């Protein structure tokens, strides 16, 4: 489905194929709409949660487009909701933006502008463009009307400038309780755009802010703070998602009334992904209720979650570039993201052998006590990655799935009398099995052909399968965490009737294997290393690992055609 041409991580100048945002900026540059001002953008997260993969799209556009035009990008925290915001989120957002590969011109906070925003509010009051309203939140809602019904003026709408100034100053001084009054813009109570029906500019909130502490007890609303913050930073192109399109007239109204730098808002489509929830509020709920291990649980669509899972910034950038921008919202297949990640890992991951569900394989005709090293390419896709020496001996581990005492149809791996290749090592033929009291196979005995060293056929005879293995005496024990989709519904935000979105959680999204056997070279794995465990999938070290206990996360499975055949066979009662 996805075009792979953009997936090349060597090509750092990834470009969205068709991009109306770029066209708008190019047009503004050539018409000198902003005179000598440089192109300036901002990425404006609210620090009320961790960034998710949807934010990667906004970051890519905000930083990428400014860069294309020789402009600059600020990271601005939109911190106007003290009750929901925290320093932890401020820190994680900076970490995640950097990890994605971007660096900001200036680090800004809307809260730095509280004094200026307050001055501008006084100016609007003096110009008769704002008033203090004593209606309750409920009453304001009722007075606002609906899409089909005009709004009604508040009885407080025509207060004198003096009275408004006095009340607003006292609001700021803390003389009134929360919710008792608001400051509203005085625009048009019958506008067809509900956002223009005298929107609230300030509310009273006696809350401690993570940066300004108790200095303020009135806080600006998003619409009043955002555009003015853009203007202060001389943002030329304020890109945001489509749900703000209806707010654009209000964005412009404030800037025009104040006569300040004419920042302009442009909207693009939100990134939505199948089987994925991209809402900080709901992700927070998963964290708070312990449904996941934290914001950086590898099943989470947060940047810190997918980073921990082993995803790479190169693949994420290639993916959002290829997903493109549009003026209508759509939904992108999660497989497309996975495709870009596999493509990237296939190129860069070191190959290694790891047996997740071990079964002992004993080579009866291999001398006891003997060991040798076979030479293995670190990455067949990249000869410059070199080779390594992997120990081989009489007792090995293979995957339980790679042996069947009674092979089903189309099963070409090891079974009694069948010859297969041990990758890079030798041809072996299964001879007999040892079982436990319950009748489970616990050991397979085989013979090897010493003339097939390197896994090469000595006489042209062919084998139908090649299997990975780990020498038992050299193996490292490790924990492996296998992840599946966190939700089993294509749009997990939709609650089933009478239920909640939590009912869409996949109960089998995490499987922990505690006794996997790894080849010894994996003992020196570092957090940033990426591996393909041959025939198994892509893996990377989890930060929970210690010197005594290695833990690997499965980033993605390889596409496994056998699993499909097996499923079909099961469906036919053929298991
Ligand atoms: P959420 O609903 O997840 O809380 P938000 O829009 O409230 O998201 P903000 O922190 O306000 O999150 O977003 C910062 C920027 O990222 C905004 O410009 C917003 O438009 C953009 N953004 C948020 N979610 C997405 C998404 N899914 N796709 C593209 N851009 C997004
Ligand atoms: Mg928001």
């Amino acid at each position: 489905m996805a075009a792979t041409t953009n997936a090349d991580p060597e090509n750092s100048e990834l470009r969205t194929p068709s991009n109306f945002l770029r066209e708008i900026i190019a047009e503004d540059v050539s018409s000198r709409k902003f005179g000598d001002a440089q192109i300036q953008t901002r990425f404006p997260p609210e620090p009320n949660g961790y960034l998710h993969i949807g934010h990667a799209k906004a970051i890519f556009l905000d930083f990428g487009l400014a860069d294309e035009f020789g402009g600059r990008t600020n990271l601005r925290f939109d911190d106007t909701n003290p009750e929901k915001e925290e320093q932890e989120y401020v820190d994680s957002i900076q970490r995640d933006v950097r990890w994605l590969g971007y660096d900001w011109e200036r680090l800004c906070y809307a809260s730095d502008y509280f004094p200026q925003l307050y001055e501008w509010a006084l100016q609007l009051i003096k110009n008769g463009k704002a008033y203090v309203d004593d209606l309750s939140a409920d009453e304001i809602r009722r007075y606002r009307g609906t899409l089909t019904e005009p709004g009604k003026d508040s009885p407080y709408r025509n207060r004198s400038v003096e009275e408004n100034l006095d009340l607003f100053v006292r609001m700021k001084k803390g003389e009134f309780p929360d919710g008792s009054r608001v400051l509203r813009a005085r625009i048009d109570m019958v506008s067809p755009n509900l956002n223009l029906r005298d929107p609230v500019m300030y509310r009273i909130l006696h809350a401690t802010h993570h940066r300004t502490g108790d200095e303020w007890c009135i806080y600006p609303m998003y619409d009043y703070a955002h555009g003015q913050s853009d203007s202060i930073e001389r943002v030329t192109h304020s890109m945001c998602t489509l749900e703000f399109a209806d707010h654009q007239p209000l964005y412009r109204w404030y800037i025009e009334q104040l006569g300040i730098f004419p920042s302009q808002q442009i909207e693009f489509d939100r990134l939505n992904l199948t089987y994925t929830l991209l809402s900080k509020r709901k992700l927070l709920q998963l964290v708070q209720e312990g449904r996941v291990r934290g914001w950086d649980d590898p099943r989470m669509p947060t940047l810190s979650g997918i980073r921990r899972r082993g995803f790479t910034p190169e693949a994420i950038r290639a993916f959002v570039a290829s997903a493109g921008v549009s003026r209508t919202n759509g939904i992108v297949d999660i497989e497309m993201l996975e495709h870009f990640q596999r493509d990237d890992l296939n190129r860069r991951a070191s190959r290694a052998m790891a047996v997740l569900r071990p079964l002992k394989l004993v080579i009866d005709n291999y001398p006891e006590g003997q060991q040798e090293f076979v030479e293995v390419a670190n990455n067949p896709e990249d000869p410059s990655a070199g080779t390594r020496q992997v120990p081989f001996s009489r007792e090995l581990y293979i995957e339980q799935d790679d042996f069947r005492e009674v092979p089903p149809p189309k099963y070409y791996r090891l079974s009694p009398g069948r010859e297969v290749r041990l990758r890079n090592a030798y041809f072996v033929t299964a001879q007999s099995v040892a079982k436990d009291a319950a009748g489970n196979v616990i050991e397979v005995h085989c013979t090897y052909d010493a003339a097939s060293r390197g896994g090469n056929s000595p006489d042209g005879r062919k084998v139908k399968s090649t299997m990975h293995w780990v020498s038992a005496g050299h193996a490292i024990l490790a924990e492996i965490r296998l992840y599946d989709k966190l939700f089993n519904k294509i749009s997990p935000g939709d609650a089933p009737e009478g239920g909640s979105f939590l009912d869409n959680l996949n109960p089998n999204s995490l499987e922990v294997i505690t006794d996997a056997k790894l080849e010894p070279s994996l003992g020196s794995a570092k957090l940033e290393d990426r591996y393909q465990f041959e025939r198994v999938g892509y893996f990377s070290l989890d930060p929970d690992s210690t010197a005594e206990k290695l833990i690997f996360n499965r980033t993605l499975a390889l596409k496994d055609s056998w699993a499909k055949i097996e499923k079909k066979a099961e469906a036919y009662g053929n298991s």
Side-chain angles (χ1 to χ4, degrees):
M1 64 141 52
T4 52
T5 46
N6 274 325
D8 186 355
E10 319 279 306
N11 171 12
S12 56
E13 294 309 309
L14 291 163
R15 288 178 166 227
T16 310
S18 134
N19 182 330
F20 64 91
L21 299 170
R22 178 186 297 124
E23 282 157 33
I24 291 172
I25 299 175
E27 172 85 37
D28 292 346
V29 167
S30 74
S31 72
R32 295 181 48 82
K33 182 167 183 175
F34 296 94
D36 289 333
Q38 66 172 4
I39 294 302
Q40 178 73 52
T41 63
R42 87 291 169 256
F43 172 63
E46 182 181 357
N48 61 350
Y50 279 58
L51 296 180
H52 52 60
I53 179 86
H55 291 111
K57 173 173 174 169
I59 293 169
F60 173 79
L61 293 169
D62 291 330
F63 284 87
L65 286 169
D67 195 52
E68 270 185 46
F69 290 92
R72 300 274 186 272
T73 306
N74 294 339
L75 173 59
R76 184 201 317 142
F77 289 103
D78 211 339
D79 54 349
T80 56
N81 279 318
E83 289 168 311
K84 292 187 176 160
E85 297 159 2
E86 285 176 32
Q87 188 61 37
E88 178 195 348
Y89 302 139
V90 169
D91 296 337
S92 75
I93 288 169
Q94 294 183 57
R95 203 161 51 231
D96 290 347
V97 171
R98 285 218 180 84
W99 175 74
L100 254 195
Y102 299 97
D103 204 356
W104 45 91
E105 167 82 350
R106 286 196 292 141
L107 185 63
C108 307
Y109 295 84
S111 55
D112 285 345
Y113 310 139
F114 284 170
Q116 175 69 78
L117 294 172
Y118 177 74
E119 289 304 318
W120 279 337
L122 293 173
Q123 186 182 326
L124 290 175
I125 294 173
K126 286 175 194 156
N127 294 343
K129 298 294 180 185
Y131 61 97
V132 173
D133 197 347
D134 299 358
L135 291 183
S136 69
D138 245 15
E139 288 165 324
I140 289 179
R141 208 169 303 122
R142 266 186 278 125
Y143 274 67
R144 183 174 293 130
T146 63
L147 282 173
T148 51
E149 248 178 275
K152 268 193 315 192
D153 285 4
S154 160
Y156 303 98
R157 195 172 198 261
N158 293 317
R159 277 180 160 148
S160 69
V161 168
E162 291 66 36
E163 190 183 2
N164 281 320
L165 282 175
D166 173 63
L167 286 170
F168 187 55
V169 169
R170 288 165 61 200
M171 273 170 66
K172 178 185 183 269
K173 281 190 185 152
E175 290 186 18
F176 310 121
D178 288 2
S180 58
R181 293 192 158 88
V182 292
L183 183 73
R184 297 178 73 174
R186 195 165 186 277
I187 309 181
D188 180 2
M189 285 308 292
V190 297
S191 169
N193 184 332
L194 295 179
N195 293 298
L196 294 179
R197 295 188 186 170
D198 291 10
V200 173
M201 293 169 61
Y202 273 92
R203 64 215 196 279
I204 303 173
L205 198 62
H206 293 265
T208 303
H209 187 279
H210 66 104
R211 292 190 77 239
T212 57
D214 296 323
E215 199 180 326
W216 294 85
C217 63
I218 54 170
Y219 288 95
M221 302 299 287
Y222 171 88
D223 282 319
Y224 178 61
H226 199 87
Q228 281 47 258
S229 301
D230 283 345
S231 185
I232 290 169
E233 294 173 21
R234 305 184 80 78
V235 167
T236 54
H237 298 83
S238 176
M239 291 172 273
C240 64
T241 36
L242 283 167
E243 69 271 22
F244 294 104
D246 286 348
H247 298 239
Q248 195 185 131
L250 180 56
Y251 181 100
R252 288 202 307 260
W253 187 87
Y254 285 126
I255 285 178
E256 279 160 22
Q257 294 301 321
L258 293 167
I260 55 181
F261 183 84
S263 299
Q264 64 179 340
Q265 175 180 311
I266 322 172
E267 304 89 16
F268 63 88
D269 59 322
R270 262 185 114 78
L271 176 70
N272 296 305
L273 279 176
T274 57
Y275 297 99
T276 309
L277 207 56
L278 296 179
S279 144
K280 278 184 284 187
R281 190 174 53 79
K282 285 178 179 154
L283 295 176
L284 174 64
Q285 194 179 339
L286 296 178
V287 173
Q288 283 176 337
E289 293 184 11
R291 309 285 178 143
V292 292
R293 292 184 183 190
W295 283 101
D296 69 344
D297 186 302
R299 292 166 292 179
M300 290 281 271
T302 51
L303 294 181
S304 38
I306 61 181
R307 169 170 67 232
R308 182 167 183 174
R309 173 129 167 200
F311 277 63
T312 60
E314 291 82 357
I316 294 166
R317 292 200 303 262
F319 162 70
V320 291
S322 175
V325 285
S326 150
R327 290 184 213 254
T328 51
N329 280 321
I331 184 156
V332 176
D333 240 308
I334 184 79
E335 278 84 15
M336 178 169 163
L337 170 63
E338 295 177 350
H339 161 80
F340 276 91
Q341 189 55 71
R342 280 197 185 92
D343 215 50
D344 177 47
L345 289 173
N346 183 40
R347 228 184 310 261
R348 73 159 87 193
S350 308
R351 272 50 173 179
M353 291 196 285
V355 173
L356 300 200
R357 296 174 178 87
L359 173 64
K360 187 69 93 48
L361 179 72
V362 182
I363 308 173
D364 290 333
N365 61 340
Y366 193 93
E368 237 165 297
Q370 178 173 314
Q371 66 165 33
E372 62 185 295
F373 289 87
V374 298
E375 187 172 12
V376 179
N378 286 328
N379 184 351
E381 301 281 318
D382 173 14
S384 74
T387 61
R388 69 187 185 287
Q389 302 290 322
V390 180
F392 183 90
S393 64
R394 185 173 193 265
E395 297 201 357
L396 311 169
Y397 290 112
I398 59 169
E399 296 283 352
Q400 290 169 14
D401 265 0
D402 282 342
F403 177 79
R404 287 292 149 86
E405 194 176 11
V406 183
K410 293 193 185 164
Y411 185 90
Y412 299 119
R413 300 180 233 169
L414 199 60
S415 59
R418 167 92 42 84
E419 185 172 50
V420 301
R421 176 190 291 110
L422 294 179
R423 186 156 169 73
N424 293 301
Y426 292 101
F427 282 16
V428 294
T429 306
Q431 305 295 349
S432 61
V433 297
K435 295 185 179 177
D436 63 12
N440 302 308
V441 175
I442 50 166
E443 224 172 72
V444 176
H445 287 258
C446 68
T447 52
Y448 85 121
D449 178 353
S452 61
R453 190 164 200 279
N456 303 309
S457 178
D459 54 8
R461 76 179 189 272
K462 291 202 163 55
V463 289
K464 278 197 170 161
S465 78
T466 298
M467 303 172 4
H468 62 281
W469 49 272
V470 171
S471 168
H474 304 88
I476 298 177
L477 184 71
E479 176 176 318
I480 306 276
R481 298 176 181 168
L482 302 176
Y483 302 102
D484 198 352
K485 294 185 170 75
L486 185 55
F487 292 97
N488 49 26
K489 212 165 147 192
I490 197 159
S491 37
D494 300 343
E497 230 182 279
S500 92
F501 77 97
L502 297 168
D503 300 326
N504 299 330
L505 279 165
N506 173 7
N508 305 313
S509 58
L510 170 64
E511 180 186 356
V512 179
I513 291 175
T514 54
D515 59 347
K517 309 285 188 181
L518 315 183
E519 69 164 74
S521 73
L522 287 167
S524 57
K526 293 184 290 301
L527 280 183
E528 58 278 13
D529 293 338
R530 299 287 179 274
Y531 292 97
Q532 184 192 102
F533 291 176
E534 294 200 41
R535 300 177 62 235
V536 180
Y538 293 104
F539 290 80
S540 68
L541 202 65
D542 187 87
D544 283 350
S545 292
T546 61
E548 290 74 43
K549 186 182 177 196
L550 292 185
I551 302 171
F552 281 87
N553 291 319
R554 182 173 69 192
T555 311
L556 289 169
L558 299 174
K559 281 174 200 166
D560 183 348
S561 51
W562 170 251
K564 275 185 209 149
I565 296 172
E566 199 162 42
K567 258 203 194 113
K568 234 189 236 163
E570 266 170 21
Y572 289 107
N574 210 352
S575 57

